[in-house]
Amino acid sequence: MSDTAPADWDPRSPKVLDNQIQAYDEMRHRCPVAYSDYLLWSLFRHEDVMRALTDHETFSNGASRHLSIPNAMDPPEHTPYRRIVEKYFTQEHIDEFEPVCRANTEALFDDLPSEGDIEVMSALAQPFAVRNQCAFMGWPDSLREPLRQWIGKNHRATRAGDRQAMSKIALEFDGYISEQLILRREAGEEAPPDATTRLLHEKVEGRWLSDEEIVSIIRNWTVGELGTIAASVGILIHYLAAHPELQEALRQGHENLPEAIDEILRIHAPLISNRRITTRAVTIGGREIPAGERLSVIWASANRDEDVFGDPDEYQPQRNRDNNLLYGAGLHVCPGAPLARLELQVFMETLLAKTRHIELSPDTTPERAQFPASGFASLPVRIQRG
């Protein structure tokens, strides 16, 4: 059916890419289950997204053409891998990492000018995400810049739909990680007791994880961490700059900071979508979708559904928290959510403590990121240091 289905929209049209959030809002009203040549089927409503998330027997996660652990797996295969991954994000590990994250974050702010304009994505968001990912995994500082550039190349190849480039970029990442595994094996008992080393000692169903499996797990962590954390930082700073009353309330401790972070990122999602594949014919949103069809759950739309949240732009953290899909839902809810929440809270605490005021630069307009990225490609702001 999808070979001949007429397109309901073009996800790569200039209008959509210029303002993804607005475009997805329009699609949610006009065509909540839509077909396109690029994303194939897309779900825009909260109700339909929740159905896909909670019915993994019909909407399988096995939508990747490459090994993707555990993201592209379903039970029972998914279960033992998920148990391994969850061990790395326990409260004990998060508490252990907090002082490292805080030191990294404070060092970034100490390098900023005392006042004036900065470009947030290059000066704060991307360095913050890369520094903390490398620290959490135990990787050397020399990997920071290659990883930052790798994320950009991966986004560009994904947007272009260039499978040859995507395969080449995946091999480049695999090379970085394989080198770290070799170094730890050569070090033997002298290897650092970090997350990368610990993965070398994990077993699944009685056997050691293969290098291919370890690289896949780490690739999923890294892509999710670097892209969405950097996007989140940009979105949070933009929102505070555009809403000075909330900025001041948070600075004075009059608002719950973790709830504020989640609500701001509901309003403007740092992650646009995830993929699923139908295992059988299904009717959803009034559309007939055959078995074997690929579809995208559009977080950036579902989290703004008026039927669930009312005015999607209204800041109501307590009212909206129980339905917020920032970290997903169901079987595949994000296992790294505790780490992401820690990092974003530490960042915001440091930002508010080390600045007196943040406003959008009056001289330069922010540049929105384009699919598959979210947030901002460039975000000039004016800061006054504390």
Side-chain angles (χ1 to χ4, degrees):
M1 175 181 175
S2 61
D3 292 337
T4 58
D8 298 304
W9 69 308
D10 180 4
R12 291 186 286 186
S13 71
K15 180 181 179 182
V16 172
L17 294 178
D18 182 59
N19 190 334
Q20 294 184 83
I21 304 300
Q22 179 179 311
Y24 302 149
D25 284 349
E26 292 174 359
M27 288 302 299
R28 189 171 60 252
H29 295 286
R30 182 174 71 81
C31 190
V33 178
Y35 181 81
S36 68
D37 295 334
Y38 179 55
L39 290 183
L40 305 181
W41 296 98
S42 296
L43 309 181
F44 293 95
R45 294 189 307 192
H46 192 280
E47 175 186 359
D48 296 332
V49 166
M50 281 298 297
R51 180 178 170 190
L53 298 181
T54 54
D55 182 5
H56 64 268
E57 292 182 352
T58 302
F59 300 93
S60 167
N61 257 54
S64 176
R65 293 179 172 87
H66 307 283
L67 182 65
S68 181
I69 301 173
N71 303 39
M73 292 177 167
D74 299 308
E77 182 185 32
H78 167 270
T79 307
Y81 290 103
R82 174 76 184 208
R83 289 197 194 105
I84 290 173
V85 170
E86 286 177 342
K87 293 193 300 185
Y88 290 77
F89 302 103
T90 63
Q91 194 59 50
E92 179 184 0
H93 287 308
I94 299 306
D95 291 343
E96 180 182 334
F97 183 63
E98 179 175 1
V100 177
C101 179
R102 201 169 291 279
N104 280 337
T105 310
E106 290 181 354
L108 273 176
F109 278 90
D110 290 343
D111 291 338
L112 294 181
S114 59
E115 60 180 40
D117 290 3
I118 64 165
E119 199 289 291
V120 165
M121 302 310 296
S122 59
L124 282 175
Q126 293 169 357
F128 172 79
V130 172
R131 281 192 188 195
N132 283 303
Q133 175 68 0
C134 286
F136 185 77
M137 297 303 300
W139 298 339
D141 295 349
S142 59
L143 265 183
R144 291 176 182 174
E145 184 58 22
L147 286 175
R148 189 188 68 80
Q149 293 188 16
W150 182 84
I151 288 293
K153 288 187 284 186
N154 191 48
H155 281 162
R156 289 190 292 273
T158 301
R159 182 165 61 250
D162 187 338
R163 299 202 178 281
Q164 184 175 357
M166 290 165 68
S167 295
K168 182 179 178 181
I169 290 164
L171 285 174
E172 178 185 338
F173 180 86
D174 293 358
Y176 295 142
I177 306 310
S178 294
E179 181 181 5
Q180 294 304 309
L181 299 182
I182 291 169
L183 289 172
R184 282 158 176 76
R185 284 199 175 98
E186 291 177 345
E189 294 183 358
E190 301 300 317
D194 53 37
T196 306
T197 300
R198 292 201 302 274
L199 279 167
L200 288 169
H201 302 286
E202 296 287 1
K203 287 185 175 182
V204 60
E205 297 182 339
R207 62 167 180 82
W208 302 109
L209 288 176
S210 69
D211 280 12
E212 183 184 16
E213 290 170 323
I214 294 172
V215 169
S216 176
I217 289 169
I218 293 175
R219 187 192 304 119
N220 280 327
W221 289 357
T222 304
V223 172
E225 175 77 4
L226 297 185
T228 55
I229 291 295
S232 295
V233 167
I235 291 166
L236 290 166
I237 291 180
H238 180 269
Y239 197 89
L240 294 191
H243 298 83
E245 291 183 0
L246 177 60
Q247 178 186 154
E248 189 57 26
L250 289 170
R251 204 182 297 279
Q252 299 299 324
H254 297 154
E255 289 276 335
N256 181 293
L257 183 57
E259 287 187 351
I261 292 170
D262 283 6
E263 175 68 351
I264 292 168
L265 298 179
R266 178 199 65 77
I267 293 169
H268 188 163
L271 177 64
I272 295 296
S273 66
N274 280 130
R275 294 177 296 175
R276 297 291 190 271
I277 187 167
T278 54
T279 62
R280 53 196 174 205
V282 61
T283 301
I284 186 167
R287 304 294 294 267
E288 301 284 339
I289 302 180
E293 291 287 287
R294 295 178 183 273
L295 55 82
S296 296
V297 292
I298 309 294
W299 309 110
S301 172
N303 247 0
R304 293 174 53 82
D305 191 331
E306 292 84 353
D307 288 344
V308 176
F309 302 104
D311 180 351
D313 290 308
E314 185 179 357
Y315 174 85
Q316 291 286 348
Q318 293 184 344
R319 183 190 71 188
N320 295 329
R321 64 188 174 192
D322 291 342
N323 293 308
N324 191 338
L325 295 176
L326 176 60
Y327 294 103
L331 186 70
H332 292 278
V333 65
C334 178
L339 176 62
R341 284 195 160 106
L342 167 75
E343 291 182 345
L344 294 175
Q345 181 168 341
V346 167
F347 181 87
M348 289 285 277
E349 288 173 353
T350 309
L351 172 73
L352 295 167
K354 289 186 173 287
T355 62
R356 287 186 290 114
H357 186 66
I358 308 161
E359 62 185 29
L360 296 174
S361 173
D363 304 320
T364 314
T365 302
E367 178 187 351
R368 294 187 181 94
Q370 295 189 348
F371 185 90
S374 186
F376 299 91
S378 174
L379 177 59
V381 300
R382 182 160 293 175
I383 63 168
Q384 296 176 8
R385 293 288 298 272

